[in-house]
Amino acid sequence: MKKFFSKLLIILICALFLEVIVFNITSYRTFWGKYEKKYYDEGEFLYYGEDENKAFIKFDNINKKVATIKLNFTHVGEVSEYKVFYSDATSDEYSELNSKEYIRNYEKSKYMPLYLSGEVKGFIISIDKQIYDSEKFEGITINEKIPFDFNVIRFICTFIVILFIVSLKKTEFFNKEYSMENLRQEAILLLILSVFFVSTAFINNYSAINESEIYNKYYVEALLDGKFYLNQEPSENFLKLEDPYDYITRGEKTQRDVDYLWDTAYFNGHQYIYFGILPLLLTFLPYYVITKKVLSIKVVVFVFSILIFVLLKEILVKILNKFFKKISFKFVIYFLITLCSGSLILYANGMARVYELVIVAGLYFVLQGLYFIIKASENENKRYLFIFLGSLCLALSVACRPTDLLASILILPFLINLLIKNIKNFKNTKIPLIKLIFAVAIPYITVGILIMWFNYVRFGNVFEFGAKYQMTINNMKELGSRIWAIPTGIIANLFSIPIFKAGFPFLNNHNELITFYGYYYIENMIGGIFMLVPICFMNFYVIKLNRKTENKALKIFINSLIVVALVIAIISIMMAGSNQRYLIDYAWMFILAGILIFMGIYNLLKTDEAKRILEKILAVITIYTFLVGILSGIVSEKSYMKSNSPEKYYEMRYMVCFWE
């Protein structure tokens, strides 16, 4: 115990050193060298240059060494960009520095540490013209000490990260065999989940957008009025269109969200919602009936996200326990972090809209169904109850996201095996076979009939969910399935390389595709799932594992995950295109398959040295996947956190980029 507290003290000292010295390095900028502090007010500058949006303010004859510069504003908005141009000993001309954001309630943002040559001759400050015109700019101060800022959140995070890394490397506890009965191990896994809970809540809350109320209000009101189409009818101008599905003509002759509602399904003179109805029936409709208020979509996305993280953890440990009886607890930690980070749930919370809602809701029901089926394989007494519940959840997932129907393929090997067993035992007892048939058939048939009826009364076709009649960026009615787009989509969705940058948040969106002479939809991708979660590359070793392992059940499950993920990916490519949120449907399958193949290959290694190398590789890609997962939530599809919570965004930026 004494040794443990000694290590803890050393880690605490390291965290304190980093926070006090390293992360506050700019606060010591004026400690060395002779720097004369001076204030320049509005009477000492010249208005310089003309620009529609920017004012350029010039300070001449400074002729001093300058280590810091501070802008003095009064009563400005939350965030305002400024840029400094300087003339020092190297040139009489002015050179520009990187811009910075002035945050009203964050003191360090008002200062800029400078690393210039010799004496500064003058500065030109670029600020918003509105600030200048409203006389909110008072002047600048040079060589004032940048305030020391002990950031408690950064300190705690640093301490936890160091503790985590040291513990994994040095503590025997993490190298012990994992057991679901070990409460200390379970507590640590729950602590890891709590990191994802907090990260999700932060991203979800500060990325909030002004939601369209088409789904959670208009649709609810229509259903309460006994209609399956919206009360909001398209305009006469829209109805006069010869072909409303011709998106170019529609864009020229009508106005989006005025003449018609964007991303609704137009059919026979009415506007329908093509998004899955189940989340609405479970949350928005009852909430509206009880409270007469509209429930926020981002709240429901957050709740489903938390449930998904819990289910990912439970499914992961049960599958690992089933196929690998002896596994290091350290590996379970790596795999849990990888699965949760790579699932793109954090990304979905970076722009929690109806698009993301139906996807995360569908994923929840898929995972919940899979969890019940795993429970059925473990519990013989309640087997058919769990099969019924699992089948029900998997069937219901289709009412969120139609492509989720393919996830039911994952449970077929178990059900077929059980069916064969019950048929062989049919002469002795008929009850298990009857229970199995009813446990599977009743949920799928009941939900299937309801969905087909719902489709028929809206679109006159039991298999039409409404996407065909979608008012979107292309004519979905005529576009059809495009088999030749599959290679382009596979590269975009699985292997497109993330664009990293030096500045926060270190990731960029992109719309880069290989050359394709045809229409292909792509919007603001972060990167392909294999590039975001490198453990997915283990899927290429599936053939080797199939040859080497004798565990038939493991082979069947891994191959099912890969095949189903590929099929969903291809259908998504042919019917829709490439958008990061589409990957949520199947990313977890590729990741889980990669994890299982990794463990299978690891166990086949014959030398300890080879295993140690593989462990180190796993540790590195786990850290990479976690960081990319967090950053993808901050970047999201359209950087909603930056635009909707700029103050919090830039506070976070300056907390991370302590050198700015």
Side-chain angles (χ1 to χ4, degrees), residues 600-618:
I601 297 295
Y602 179 86
N603 288 338
L604 291 172
L605 295 176
K606 300 188 182 302
T607 66
D608 291 338
E609 182 62 25
K611 288 185 175 183
R612 279 195 293 271
I613 292 172
L614 210 56
E615 284 182 28
K616 290 178 180 178
I617 293 172
L618 179 61

Side-chain angles (χ1 to χ4, degrees), residues 126-174:
S126 166
I127 63 173
D128 288 343
K129 197 168 188 302
Q130 184 181 2
I131 293 175
Y132 177 80
D133 290 342
S134 56
E135 299 182 345
K136 293 178 180 178
F137 178 72
E138 295 184 336
I140 64 169
T141 305
I142 63 168
N143 295 328
E144 183 172 340
K145 180 182 178 298
I146 297 176
F148 180 85
D149 176 31
F150 188 95
N151 192 297
V152 176
I153 295 175
R154 184 171 58 196
F155 169 72
I156 293 173
C157 289
T158 304
F159 176 78
I160 291 173
V161 168
I162 298 174
L163 178 63
F164 181 72
I165 293 172
V166 171
S167 298
L168 281 175
K169 190 173 178 63
K170 299 293 185 182
T171 307
E172 186 62 31
F173 171 75
F174 290 96

